[in-house]
Structures are given as C-alpha cells and as structure tokens.
Amino acid sequence: AAAAAAAAAELTFKLGLAAEIKCRDFIDAYNSCVEGRTVTMFLCRAAYGASQHCIQEYVNKSNVETLKRRWVDAGRPQFPDWSKLMEGVVDPQHVVKGKLHRTHG
C-alpha cells in the first residue's frame, strides 16, 4: 500500500508539472492579480478559479488512477516513457520527461 501511495504521489507531481505548462497564462494572471495586495480573496477570485479549473483538468483522481494503472502495466519503470504513459490524458506539448523518483519495487 505504501508503494502504491508513493507512486500515486509521484504521478500526481508529474501531472502537476504538465498542468503548470498548460495553465501558465491562468497562473500568471492570478499572480499578477495578487502581487502587492494584502486582501486578494474577493479581488482575485475569478483569476484563482480559472487557474484552479485549468489545473484540475490534469490533476484529478481519475487521471492519477489511469497513469498508475499504465505505469504498473508497463512494469513499474524508473524511467517511464512519459509520452506513452500520459497519452490521451495530457497534451503531448505539456509532458515533462524525466525519472520517476521512486527507485525500488
């Protein structure tokens, strides 16, 4: 169970990286809104909501479960083919390559 939870955390992290690329304009708009303000909840609510909605298109339970199932089916590789693993879940231009930090079976 601990290994599955660790894998889910890593896959969620990778989805988050992809979401940062996809949602960069929304995130930047929110950051611009809050910059230099002490009271932001009301004033920046729309920008925050737009950024969160965009991020949740990638980072959600269904996508994590899909990636976890594909990763297990691929033999739990330390260096997965991220393009293949995320196919149909994440747009190819948003895939961040690299090692899955979990190194043991």
Side-chain angles (χ1 to χ4, degrees):
E10 291 292 336
L11 295 168
T12 301
F13 176 75
K14 288 300 246 189
L15 285 169
L17 292 176
E20 283 183 27
I21 295 168
K22 176 183 188 230
C23 305
R24 174 60 41 212
D25 291 343
F26 293 110
I27 294 167
D28 287 348
Y30 174 72
N31 288 338
S32 293
C33 181
V34 299
E35 188 174 340
R37 297 179 193 238
T38 55
V39 179
T40 60
M41 188 56 133
F42 179 75
L43 297 173
C44 302
R45 183 175 33 202
Y48 177 77
S51 69
Q52 292 303 298
H53 176 76
C54 182
I55 290 167
Q56 289 173 4
E57 288 179 14
Y58 277 177
V59 184
N60 59 61
K61 186 175 181 173
S62 175
N63 286 348
V64 171
E65 290 301 317
T66 296
L67 295 186
K68 189 166 49 170
R69 190 171 39 257
R70 290 177 181 179
W71 178 71
V72 168
D73 290 348
R76 300 177 180 204
Q78 183 178 0
F79 296 97
D81 179 346
W82 289 106
S83 296
K84 186 173 182 181
L85 199 67
M86 294 186 168
E87 185 176 0
V89 175
V90 172
D91 290 333
Q93 68 268 24
H94 302 148
V95 174
V96 178
K97 311 257 189 251
K99 172 182 171 183
L100 189 67
H101 292 105
R102 193 176 152 280
T103 58
H104 53 280

